[in-house]
Amino acid sequence: MSIEFKNNVFSLNTESTSYIFRVTKFKHLEHIYYGERVPAEDAEALSVKHDIQLGSSVMYDKSDDSYCLDNLCLEWSGVGRGDYRQTPIEVKMPDGSFSSDFLYEKHEIVSGCVPMQSLPNAYDDENTAETLVIHMRERHRAVELTLYYTVFYADNVIARRCVLKNLCDAELSIRRIMSMSVDMLDRGFLMHSFDGGWIKETHRHIRPVEYGMYVNSSTTGSSSNRHNAGFLLSEKHTNEDSGRAWGFNLVYSGNHFGVVEKSNHDLVRVQLGINPHCFDWTLRSGESFETPEAVMTFSEHGFNGLSANFHDFVNNHIVRGDWKNIERPVLINDWEACFFKFTRGKLLKLARRAKKLGVEFFVLDDGWFGARNSDTAGLGDYNVNLRKLPGGLGEFAGSIEKLGMKFGLWFEPESVNVDSDLYRAHPDWAIKPPTGEPCFGRNQLLLDLTRKEVRDYIVESVGNVLDSAKISYVKWDMNRHMSDAYSESLSNQGEFVHRYIIGLYEVLDRIFTPRSHILFESCSSGGNRFDLGMLCYSPQVWSSDDTDPIERLDIQSGLSYLYPQSTMGAHVSAAPHQQTLRETPLPTRFNVAAFGVLGYELELKFMTPVELKEIREQIAFYKAHRRTLQYGRFYRFDERKDNKVHWQCSAHDGLEHIVGHFQKLCTASEGADRLPVKALDANARYRLKCKGQRLFVKRMGGLVKHITPVEFHPDGFVLRTANKFFAMPDGAEDCSASGAAFMSGVGLNNQFLGTGYNGKLHMYGDFGSSVYVIEKET
């Protein structure tokens, strides 16, 4: 069994970890240990000792002057009994008091996961999980608190949540209730958060945990591009492959609140749950409130070990339905090629070109409905714009299918433009303040998903569109933060944001559960809602509106600490990039995007024949190695050089390993590079091949004169023509060696050193890269 209870000690064990806590003599839950696997009998040895009273402290009970809640490592705490750290729960009781003291009553251990009523949570379709259910009761009031601990043995993950039930005769007011709270003795912790904003999501930031409180939160109405809900703790010297690390995340898409607090006696409290900002939930007699589910994991094998736990958990217990563990298709999205200006003929030309390159899905983005010729009108309407698509969606989807591709469609159902038929008919359905003018974002308002009639309208409208044509993919967008959080349908506006998220989940469930064949990709101005809650409905998420591969190195690296590459939408776009004006090589754009769910988003008619050939070969390579790239074990590296980034994906059978070698900025006459590789059999033989790619003539500019017998104008007719049809090979490499040699770092061919060119050189310059395939020889 994963869960044991003996001598008042709970021991929750996964394959490689132990989580231990006990019931104290006063019926509180004292946390003992979370780390690598240890026997439950060691609980006393591992516990924080309390041999004498602390100065300036409040005793919990006069019978024991050393029992002080403020200096106990707790699994849960309350208010008013001497614990002055951040409380996981703040409830205004019927008598007006905020005091609470929840004590252990009983527990049971059940097989599998316990489904939630209003929110998504992790599931277990192989019946290998176990759940510990602990029943607690407030010391003086008829209020019950139930704590749930679900152990996912093989994934080294424990999920936590709680349910508060009001058995009083009068109502309660919940001001704060976390999904989890745990206290650990400080180990010199560092906190790692993943922060940013639009087009710069999930950049990793590291800070030491010192006295005080560190908050990682969102107040935008969604999990947000500013601070992802997931964060990590580590010991100071933990690196990618060694040292202890702890990870925390939340199955929720709304305002989140994560806190790490170090007390004056070096106890570190970690909490995660709904943000208490403007939260106020009325709990009437007999009602219950359930929190979102939090997830925790630990690894003694550094951040790569931690990521492996999270990746397996997401793929096996969060993503569900027909697309669980299924390879994702290569798609082309028309947005950056067309924006709002398209016709049926223009789209079909793009689709035909894409089909010839090996693209599998064609996705029609914004602009297909109503008066949607710009972002100022049309949102909320679902009538097809017949001027753009004269035969309607059914006919157009059929035309895409006849080309041998699947058809996908963009929606933004949560928003509305004032200039729309929907708003003119139902202006009260938009989120607006009770007085004054609303705030607009991208010329739009959000619809009030707390109202049943609004949810019904979205479900019916989107469902009718999906059933009107052969649609195999949906991109669901949401392009603004929430403001003016208010609904005429609610008597308590403190419930609004959470009820909106509950309404969103209901809408997604009603639309996509009956249509589970549809591949659903969530988007919110890029990575504004990249979270475990959305991944319960959408197997993949658009990572960022920034498709610059150099920016994506940071964005996708940050995401990889918490989420598997099978969930990350990553596209090749035109350069200079719309988000940065950076000019990057076509091979690098692919090489970065290949470590995710590959797509293309550019106007193919402007590509040269040799560029189209490059793309055709890129897609063929991706398809040949798609299983490894999407579902293989992902590794990051502690880099030897500041200008390099390396990623590795390893097939689970160990036969194939793909390594990306990325250079951000070049330096003059740089020293030799070695390729770092992990997870090989030291005694086996492997063969390394560099994926073929091209060096385009235009990248050489005026330097071409050094290798041509006559001088040509760098931007003249001859070289422009040559650039369309001719490219030079870039850094061909092929070698065999033992696994031990590869893991020690094999030497790579030189890159350009300023002295000439030959077919062996890597002509990286700024933003160059290569991808290597390492296969086990049999």
Side-chain angles (χ1 to χ4, degrees):
M1 294 179 62
S2 301
I3 302 172
E4 298 176 352
F5 179 70
K6 185 178 180 181
N7 298 326
N8 279 336
V9 175
F10 291 99
S11 178
L12 283 60
N13 295 302
T14 70
E15 187 173 58
S16 304
T17 72
S18 292
Y19 187 97
I20 300 173
F21 60 98
R22 65 187 174 191
V23 182
T24 71
K25 64 181 179 181
F26 292 109
K27 302 298 183 181
H28 297 108
L29 300 180
E30 180 187 6
H31 179 80
I32 302 295
Y33 174 82
Y34 188 25
E36 50 265 58
R37 189 82 179 252
V38 296
E41 291 76 15
D42 293 339
E44 178 58 33
L46 291 166
S47 66
V48 176
K49 305 304 186 286
H50 307 284
D51 299 318
I52 194 169
Q53 180 181 5
L54 293 176
S56 188
S57 62
V58 174
M59 292 180 293
Y60 177 77
D61 189 283
K62 61 184 179 182
S63 66
D64 187 346
D65 61 10
S66 67
Y67 192 91
C68 171
L69 292 181
D70 200 39
N71 199 39
L72 277 177
C73 288
L74 296 170
E75 290 288 305
W76 194 262
S77 189
V79 173
R81 302 295 296 175
D83 185 355
Y84 297 100
R85 296 165 293 180
Q86 186 79 19
T87 178
I89 188 166
E90 183 180 294
V91 176
K92 188 174 183 180
M93 298 295 182
D95 57 11
S97 169
F98 287 94
S99 178
S100 64
D101 185 16
F102 289 94
L103 305 178
Y104 169 84
E105 280 198 324
K106 61 181 180 179
H107 74 273
E108 66 254 20
I109 300 170
V110 299
S111 296
C113 303
V114 179
M116 299 178 67
Q117 301 301 310
S118 61
L119 297 170
N121 65 322
Y123 69 99
D124 173 36
D125 56 8
E126 297 182 357
N127 202 32
T128 58
E130 279 191 312
T131 299
L132 170 64
V133 184
I134 297 181
H135 301 276
M136 306 181 76
R137 191 176 179 92
E138 210 285 318
R139 186 178 185 183
H140 298 296
R141 303 172 182 87
V143 182
E144 292 182 348
L145 179 72
T146 305
L147 304 183
Y148 292 85
Y149 298 75
T150 300
V151 178
F152 297 90
Y153 184 87
D155 306 294
N156 295 308
V157 165
I158 298 172
R160 288 190 57 182
R161 61 184 177 91
C162 70
V163 174
L164 189 72
K165 187 171 185 178
N166 180 14
L167 297 176
C168 301
D169 294 332
E171 65 184 31
L172 309 176
S173 176
I174 305 173
R175 307 288 183 86
R176 170 198 300 268
I177 183 165
M178 294 291 103
S179 300
M180 59 145 293
S181 181
V182 64
D183 302 333
M184 299 184 287
L185 186 64
D186 185 33
R187 292 175 175 265
F189 286 131
L190 299 176
M191 181 181 181
H192 308 249
S193 59
F194 302 93
D195 319 293
W198 179 66
I199 67 173
K200 57 177 184 179
E201 296 90 340
T202 55
H203 284 55
R204 180 187 178 200
H205 295 93
I206 307 170
R207 53 188 64 81
V209 176
E210 299 175 340
Y211 291 127
M213 189 162 58
Y214 300 80
V215 174
N216 181 70
S217 72
S218 168
T219 59
T220 66
S222 61
S223 50
S224 94
N225 50 27
R226 301 183 179 201
H227 307 285
N228 195 276
F231 60 92
L232 316 178
L233 292 179
S234 73
E235 294 181 335
K236 285 183 179 178
H237 301 296
T238 297
N239 58 34
E240 291 292 354
D241 296 307
S242 64
R244 295 183 178 94
W246 295 257
F248 307 89
N249 208 342
L250 191 65
V251 187
Y252 191 59
S253 307
N255 290 344
H256 61 82
F257 183 84
V259 62
V260 176
E261 179 184 15
K262 183 175 177 179
S263 76
N264 60 346
H265 282 85
D266 296 336
L267 304 182
V268 174
R269 175 163 289 181
V270 181
Q271 294 178 350
L272 188 54
I274 295 172
N275 199 319
H277 173 74
C278 297
F279 178 81
D280 182 6
W281 192 275
T282 301
L283 195 65
R284 296 173 179 83
S285 179
E287 291 183 344
S288 298
F289 180 86
E290 57 183 1
T291 69
E293 188 169 62
V295 297
M296 313 180 297
T297 188
F298 166 84
S299 176
E300 61 184 307
H301 301 295
F303 300 114
N304 280 323
L306 199 74
S307 295
N309 295 343
F310 272 138
H311 291 190
D312 289 345
F313 175 74
V314 172
N315 281 327
N316 296 328
H317 302 289
I318 292 293
V319 174
R320 59 203 72 194
D322 291 7
W323 286 93
K324 176 181 178 178
N325 286 318
I326 299 298
E327 293 177 20
R328 310 287 193 259
V330 178
L331 64 83
I332 188 165
N333 183 298
D334 81 305
W335 178 245
E336 289 196 16
C338 302
F339 293 102
F340 295 104
K341 299 176 181 179
F342 61 82
T343 63
R344 176 184 179 277
K346 183 177 182 179
L347 295 176
L348 286 178
K349 287 179 182 177
L350 178 62
R352 290 189 190 102
R353 293 185 179 102
K355 172 60 181 175
K356 291 179 181 178
L357 301 178
V359 172
E360 297 161 311
F361 275 44
F362 180 89
V363 179
L364 175 56
D365 209 278
D366 198 356
W368 57 267
F369 53 89
R372 191 69 173 167
N373 298 310
S374 70
D375 63 11
T376 63
L379 281 180
D381 299 337
Y382 292 88
N383 53 306
V384 179
N385 187 322
L386 296 178
R387 294 186 65 182
K388 295 180 179 180
L389 301 172
L393 277 178
E395 185 278 333
F396 183 73
S399 298
I400 297 296
E401 289 268 338
K402 288 178 183 178
L403 293 175
M405 306 170 74
K406 300 292 186 181
F407 177 62
L409 194 62
W410 178 96
F411 293 85
E412 190 170 358
E414 299 169 65
S415 295
V416 63
N417 291 123
V418 171
D419 185 4
S420 67
D421 293 340
L422 176 64
Y423 188 86
R424 284 185 281 270
H426 299 286
D428 55 314
W429 286 8
I431 297 174
K432 293 183 287 187
T435 58
E437 293 298 315
C439 297
F440 285 79
R442 201 175 181 250
N443 302 303
Q444 62 202 51
L445 302 173
L446 291 178
L447 290 170
D448 183 358
L449 268 61
T450 70
R451 299 176 62 153
K452 181 180 184 301
E453 61 270 32
V454 174
R455 299 195 300 274
D456 289 345
Y457 172 79
I458 293 173
V459 171
E460 181 180 0
S461 299
V462 174
N464 286 342
V465 173
L466 294 178
D467 295 338
S468 71
K470 202 165 183 180
I471 296 172
S472 301
Y473 165 102
V474 164
K475 180 180 178 182
W476 181 294
D477 214 338
M478 189 266 206
N479 278 308
R480 62 154 297 175
H481 296 316
M482 183 182 291
S483 63
D484 304 312
Y486 178 85
S487 175
E488 293 180 355
S489 68
L490 297 179
S491 59
N492 180 2
Q493 301 304 318
E495 300 178 3
F496 178 84
V497 177
H498 185 56
R499 288 196 181 277
Y500 179 99
I501 298 300
I502 292 174
L504 171 63
Y505 291 149
E506 178 199 310
V507 166
L508 296 178
D509 182 63
R510 290 169 63 188
I511 291 173
F512 292 104
T513 298
R515 304 172 180 88
S516 59
H517 66 283
I518 292 176
L519 176 56
F520 169 26
E521 179 171 287
S522 172
C523 174
S524 181
S525 294
N528 193 46
R529 208 155 58 184
F530 204 124
D531 59 70
L532 295 179
M534 292 305 294
L535 285 170
C536 290
Y537 302 94
S538 62
Q540 60 193 58
V541 180
W542 180 228
S543 307
S544 176
D545 282 347
D546 194 336
T547 50
D548 178 333
I550 304 306
E551 295 300 313
R552 278 294 188 118
L553 287 172
D554 288 324
I555 293 168
Q556 290 174 218
S557 286
L559 285 171
S560 73
Y561 286 89
L562 304 167
Y563 308 99
Q565 60 273 23
S566 60
T567 65
M568 300 179 197
H571 291 180
V572 176
S573 65
H577 296 282
Q578 295 184 18
Q579 302 81 16
T580 61
L581 297 180
R582 184 182 281 128
E583 180 76 48
T584 63
L586 179 58
T588 292
R589 288 175 252 162
F590 166 78
N591 293 343
V592 173
F595 286 85
V597 179
L598 177 66
Y600 288 79
E601 194 160 343
L602 68 176
E603 179 53 272
L604 296 174
K605 72 180 181 182
F606 297 135
M607 308 293 288
T608 66
V610 73
E611 288 175 326
L612 293 174
K613 187 175 182 180
E614 176 79 8
I615 292 175
R616 187 180 301 111
E617 292 176 4
Q618 290 174 353
I619 294 173
F621 175 88
Y622 185 77
K623 289 179 179 178
H625 304 283
R626 174 158 42 189
R627 189 75 199 175
T628 299
L629 287 165
Q630 292 183 358
Y631 290 100
R633 178 66 70 226
F634 184 86
Y635 298 96
R636 296 168 303 271
F637 293 80
D638 297 299
E639 301 297 349
R640 185 172 66 91
K641 294 182 178 182
D642 291 339
N643 68 337
K644 297 294 191 298
V645 173
H646 294 90
W647 292 338
Q648 178 177 329
C649 287
S650 295
H652 289 283
D653 61 10
L655 298 180
E656 177 181 74
H657 307 265
I658 300 176
V659 183
H661 174 83
F662 305 101
Q663 178 163 283
K664 290 188 172 182
L665 295 176
C666 71
T667 59
S669 192
E670 184 172 324
D673 285 314
R674 290 188 176 274
L675 186 70
V677 183
K678 301 176 182 180
L680 304 188
D681 179 349
N683 298 315
R685 298 290 298 180
Y686 294 85
R687 184 175 182 182
L688 173 147
K689 287 186 178 181
C690 184
K691 183 190 79 66
Q693 60 188 35
R694 292 169 174 78
L695 175 66
F696 298 104
V697 173
K698 66 180 179 181
R699 186 161 171 81
M700 300 298 293
L703 296 177
V704 173
K705 66 185 179 182
H706 295 293
I707 59 173
T708 55
V710 295
E711 185 176 10
F712 295 105
H713 190 295
D715 195 36
F717 174 77
V718 172
L719 290 185
R720 288 203 312 270
T721 302
N723 186 66
K724 293 179 182 179
F725 301 100
F726 175 76
M728 296 172 284
D730 183 29
E733 290 184 79
D734 189 336
C735 71
S736 293
S738 67
F742 277 115
M743 289 190 290
S744 70
V746 297
L748 298 179
N749 289 1
N750 293 131
Q751 62 172 298
F752 180 70
L753 300 175
T755 56
Y757 164 80
N758 62 55
K760 291 183 178 181
L761 285 180
H762 291 291
M763 304 296 284
Y764 288 148
D766 289 343
F767 323 129
S769 65
S770 294
V771 168
Y772 297 86
V773 178
I774 302 171
E775 294 180 328
K776 194 173 186 179
E777 295 181 341
T778 56

